[in-house]
């Protein structure tokens, strides 16, 4: 009996302590309205993290379920997986330090974007005074196919949920069959800029004139929680920058053109400004070697992004690099799509880009999908900018002129908005939405985009900005930790406090705290 009594006392004490922890977290969340109070919240969370990974994760899960930020299985699944990583970070940093500020900006959304930490990327050679020029001789282009986000769902069956984050074998195979008619000579190249588990970067040289360099930009990703465990500046967490320099210098020395492929564009609202700035230094140095960059943004939208020699004076003349940001093959709030590029064999520049889609509303989609061309970039945008010579590639100057046309031609701009999701869920983008969208198209360097976090948004950064402007976090695999934290804050600050406490004290959550 004595043992049972002691157990009951310990159990009661454990429940009391855990309830106290959850209450303290909720109180801090309710009071987090600006950057300073966000640092206070980080201090509270650090105190919980010091008690151990299990207590920290269980507390966040209980908070998530108490306010019903997501379904219980989502709360327990995501926070159970990511909670220990965040707890590890919190134990390593100061609540008032620079990394805490980055957490409050990137994950919570209450601090403004910190200024870029100055760092000069080491470059082995100065740019040549007379760089090699690449001139087209008018040869027929070859084709390159751009797939992105090919997530296979092995359990997919016909008539299952339409909008998903995975791809079925059925329409993946139908896509390959369609490609046979687009590249009948089978000499095309397929680009799939996905996240590679190992190594963090690769390169391929498939002819004497071209080199493909794959960079793992997940090391520049705000939702990579392993990057928040130090208050010491990490200019290059995994050696991606020197690898890019090494490969581009080798390409320049060999007289090659280079393509860069990556999963997350450095223009994204999800990219750290520091690493995006450092990458831009590389782009500016090797702009004569880089023929194009091919990327997939984590919103799965159809977009592009331009780099400039002078971001304070953005013109067609000083636009010097273009990132082709592809739509996804996997449908998530958009029809599945892929791209076919026509590539000049002398310059390795893109002469045209054709996007193909399959309509999920078609009655035959789940059994025998069909693919049709949605649009040609040259045919759609060329006439809108006063025509574009057939011998000129769709390079940075072309795309800057397209953004100028967007400003004056709203019909063209709204067509671009429709292309972003392949005609699904399209709403007009006007006013600040339009201004921000065009700004972001002109911002391959992230610090120049217009995704500004305003202090006092109470965690609402991801949901408070129109996703047609530029993608934010949690879109690659659906709901993520950032959106959960946002939902927790919004619901905690809008729920009746008495109801919140009653729910916390209910038998349902007593069971969870056990």
């Amino acid at each position: 009996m004595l043992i049972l009594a002691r157990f009951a006392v310990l159990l009661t004490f454990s429940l009391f302590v855990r309830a106290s922890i959850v209450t303290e977290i909720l109180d801090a969340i309710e009071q987090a309205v600006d950057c300073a109070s966000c640092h206070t919240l980080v201090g509270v969370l650090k105190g919980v993290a010091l008690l151990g990974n299990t207590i920290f994760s269980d507390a966040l899960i209980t908070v998530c379920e108490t306010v019903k930020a997501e379904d219980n299985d989502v709360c327990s699944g995501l926070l159970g997986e990511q909670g220990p990583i965040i707890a590890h970070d919190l134990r390593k940093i100061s609540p008032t330090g620079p990394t805490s500020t980055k957490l409050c900006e990137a994950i919570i959304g209450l601090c403004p974007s910190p200024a870029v930490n100055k760092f000069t990327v080491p470059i082995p050679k100065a740019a040549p005074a007379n760089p090699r020029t690449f001139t087209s001789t008018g040869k027929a282009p070859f084709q390159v196919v751009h797939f992105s986000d090919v997530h296979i769902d092995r359990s997919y069956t016909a008539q299952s949920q339409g909008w998903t984050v995975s791809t079925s074998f059925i329409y993946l195979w139908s896509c390959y069959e369609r490609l046979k008619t687009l590249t009948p000579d089978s000499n095309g190249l397929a680009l799939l800029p996905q996240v590679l588990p190992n190594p963090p970067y690769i390169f391929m040289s498939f002819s004497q004139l071209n080199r493909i360099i794959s960079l793992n930009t997940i090391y520049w990703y705000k939702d990579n929680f392993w990057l928040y465990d130090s208050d010491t500046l990490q200019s290059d967490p995994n050696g991606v920058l020197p690898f890019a320099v090494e490969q581009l210098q080798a390409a320049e020395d060999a007289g090659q053109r280079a393509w860069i492929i990556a999963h997350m564009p450095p223009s994204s609202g999800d990219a750290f400004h520091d690493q995006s700035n450092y990458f831009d230094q590389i782009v500016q140095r090797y702009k004569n070697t880089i023929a194009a960059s091919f990327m997939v943004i984590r919103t799965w939208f159809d977009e592009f992004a331009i780099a400039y020699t002078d971001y304070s004076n953005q013109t067609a003349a000083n636009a010097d690099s273009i990132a082709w940001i592809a739509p996804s093959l996997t449908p998530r709030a958009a029809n599945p799509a892929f791209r076919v590029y026509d590539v000049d064999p002398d310059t390795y520049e893109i002469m045209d880009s054709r996007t193909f889609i399959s309509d999920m509303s078609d009655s035959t989609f789940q059994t025998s999908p069909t693919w049709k061309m949605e649009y040609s970039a040259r045919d759609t945008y060329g006439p809108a900018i006063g025509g574009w010579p057939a011998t000129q590639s769709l390079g940075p100057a072309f795309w800057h002129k397209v953004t100028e046309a967007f400003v004056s031609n709203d019909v063209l701009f709204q067509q671009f908005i429709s292309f972003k999701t392949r005609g699904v869920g399209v709403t007009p983008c006007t006013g600040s939405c339009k201004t921000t969208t065009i700004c972001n198209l002109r911002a391959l360097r992230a610090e120049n985009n217009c995704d500004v976090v305003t202090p006092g948004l109470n965690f609402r950064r991801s949901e408070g900005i129109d996703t047609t402007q530029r993608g934010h976090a949690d879109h690659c695999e659906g709901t993520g930790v950032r959106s959960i934290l946002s939902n927790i804050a919004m619901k905690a600050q809008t729920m009746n406090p008495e109801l919140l406490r009653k729910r916390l004290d209910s038998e349902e959550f007593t069971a969870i705290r056990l």
Side-chain angles (χ1 to χ4, degrees):
M1 291 298 293
L2 180 60
I3 293 176
L4 290 176
R6 286 177 176 176
F7 176 76
V9 170
L10 288 173
L11 180 60
T12 302
F13 179 74
S14 174
L15 291 174
F16 173 78
V17 170
R18 294 199 179 202
S20 177
I21 290 171
V22 171
T23 300
E24 187 176 7
I25 293 174
L26 283 169
D27 287 343
I29 288 174
E30 290 173 353
Q31 295 168 17
V33 296
D34 55 20
C35 191
S37 53
C38 182
H39 281 278
T40 301
L41 171 61
V42 171
V44 170
L45 293 175
K46 177 169 183 168
V48 180
L50 290 172
L51 298 176
N53 292 344
T54 300
I55 291 177
F56 180 83
S57 298
D58 287 351
L60 285 189
I61 291 169
T62 302
V63 169
C64 181
E65 294 179 340
T66 299
V67 302
K68 298 189 180 299
E70 291 289 347
D71 292 340
N72 286 3
D73 59 339
V74 176
C75 291
S76 60
L78 274 171
L79 294 176
E81 178 186 72
Q82 299 293 316
I85 304 173
I86 299 174
H88 162 80
D89 295 336
L90 292 168
R91 290 192 290 267
K92 295 285 187 178
I93 64 174
S94 166
T96 59
T99 303
S100 178
T101 300
K102 284 188 174 182
L103 272 171
C104 284
E105 183 272 332
I107 299 176
I108 302 176
L110 287 174
C111 287
S113 300
V116 172
N117 289 290
K118 292 185 178 181
F119 172 75
T120 301
V121 178
I123 304 291
K125 297 180 182 180
N130 298 299
R132 177 178 175 179
T133 58
F134 298 84
T135 306
S136 175
T137 60
K139 296 177 184 175
F142 67 90
Q143 281 68 49
V144 169
V145 181
H146 191 172
F147 295 110
S148 66
D149 282 290
V150 185
H151 298 191
I152 302 297
D153 181 356
R154 297 177 183 272
S155 302
Y156 179 89
T157 58
Q159 307 306 322
S160 62
Q161 184 176 358
W163 301 115
T164 180
V165 294
S166 295
T167 305
S168 77
F169 281 113
I170 296 174
Y171 76 77
L172 183 60
W173 182 255
S174 72
C175 175
Y176 289 147
E177 289 294 308
R178 180 70 173 97
L179 289 177
K180 291 180 181 179
T181 66
L182 300 174
T183 56
D185 59 3
S186 299
N187 290 327
L189 177 74
L191 298 176
L192 296 92
Q194 294 291 104
V195 178
L196 303 177
N198 187 43
Y201 30 68
I202 61 172
F203 86 93
M204 299 169 280
S205 182
F206 70 92
S207 82
Q208 67 180 47
L209 275 178
N210 201 61
R211 179 175 298 233
I212 300 177
I213 305 167
S214 177
L215 303 179
N216 192 343
T217 52
I218 296 304
Y219 288 98
W220 309 343
Y221 180 38
K222 290 179 179 179
D223 277 14
N224 182 349
F225 300 123
W226 291 110
L227 301 177
Y228 294 90
D229 65 352
S230 174
D231 280 324
T232 302
L233 169 65
Q234 301 180 69
S235 58
D236 189 22
N238 205 43
V240 176
L241 297 174
F243 173 81
V245 170
E246 173 191 341
Q247 293 303 318
L248 288 167
Q249 186 63 60
E252 181 180 85
D253 292 344
Q256 297 176 328
R257 300 306 298 275
W259 288 348
I260 295 176
I261 62 175
H263 187 60
M264 182 197 70
S267 60
S268 170
D270 292 336
F272 284 117
H273 288 189
D274 286 355
Q275 282 68 40
S276 179
N277 178 284
Y278 310 152
F279 177 71
D280 183 69
Q281 294 178 35
I282 297 173
V283 169
Q284 298 309 317
R285 164 59 183 86
Y286 295 102
K287 59 189 176 185
N288 294 308
T289 297
I290 301 171
S293 299
F294 303 91
M295 306 185 181
V296 52
I297 197 167
R298 300 183 73 80
T299 59
W300 311 22
F301 290 156
D302 182 339
E303 299 178 300
F304 59 89
I306 310 166
Y308 298 85
T309 56
D310 182 1
Y311 274 92
S312 64
N313 182 31
Q314 297 172 330
T315 65
N318 66 27
D320 61 9
S321 190
I322 179 68
W324 297 81
I325 302 172
S328 63
L329 190 63
T330 294
R332 185 174 185 270
N335 283 313
F338 65 88
R339 283 225 187 108
V340 176
Y341 299 110
D342 292 338
V343 184
D344 187 290
D346 296 313
T347 66
Y348 286 85
E349 296 172 359
I350 308 303
M351 303 306 292
D352 197 7
S353 164
R354 291 169 290 150
T355 300
F356 291 80
I357 66 171
S358 185
D359 188 350
M360 291 190 70
S361 65
D362 191 297
S363 61
T364 64
F365 175 80
Q366 296 193 14
T367 55
S368 55
T370 57
W371 297 84
K372 64 180 180 180
M373 189 175 81
E374 182 186 27
Y375 75 100
S376 153
R378 180 178 288 273
D379 293 346
T380 299
Y381 297 124
I385 62 173
W388 195 251
T391 57
Q392 287 191 27
S393 66
L394 306 188
F398 171 86
W399 287 107
H400 179 83
K401 288 181 178 291
V402 170
T403 64
E404 291 179 330
F406 285 164
V407 174
S408 58
N409 186 341
D410 193 60
V411 172
L412 183 73
F413 176 74
Q414 299 303 332
Q415 180 64 73
F416 165 76
I417 294 298
S418 177
F419 287 154
K420 285 168 71 74
T421 58
R422 283 77 78 195
V424 174
V426 180
T427 57
C429 177
T430 59
S432 62
C433 172
K434 180 174 180 177
T435 302
T436 300
T437 299
I438 295 173
C439 167
N440 290 339
L441 295 174
R442 295 173 176 173
L444 187 52
R445 189 174 68 180
E447 68 197 78
N448 297 100
N449 69 38
C450 291
D451 291 331
V452 178
V453 178
T454 303
L457 280 180
N458 300 335
F459 292 70
R460 305 180 193 193
R461 175 177 181 270
S462 295
E463 282 71 18
I465 299 176
D466 194 320
T467 54
T468 59
Q469 300 169 25
R470 171 68 73 200
H472 296 282
D474 303 338
H475 291 287
C476 187
E477 301 295 345
T479 299
V481 171
R482 192 192 303 184
S483 62
I484 284 181
L485 291 177
S486 299
N487 288 339
I488 287 174
M490 285 189 289
K491 293 190 176 184
Q493 293 171 351
T494 56
M495 285 181 65
N496 182 292
E498 292 185 6
L499 176 61
L500 193 59
R501 296 298 179 264
K502 287 181 181 179
R503 184 177 292 174
L504 183 61
D505 293 333
S506 68
E507 292 183 1
E508 176 185 358
F509 291 103
T510 298
I512 291 172
R513 291 192 294 276
L514 288 172

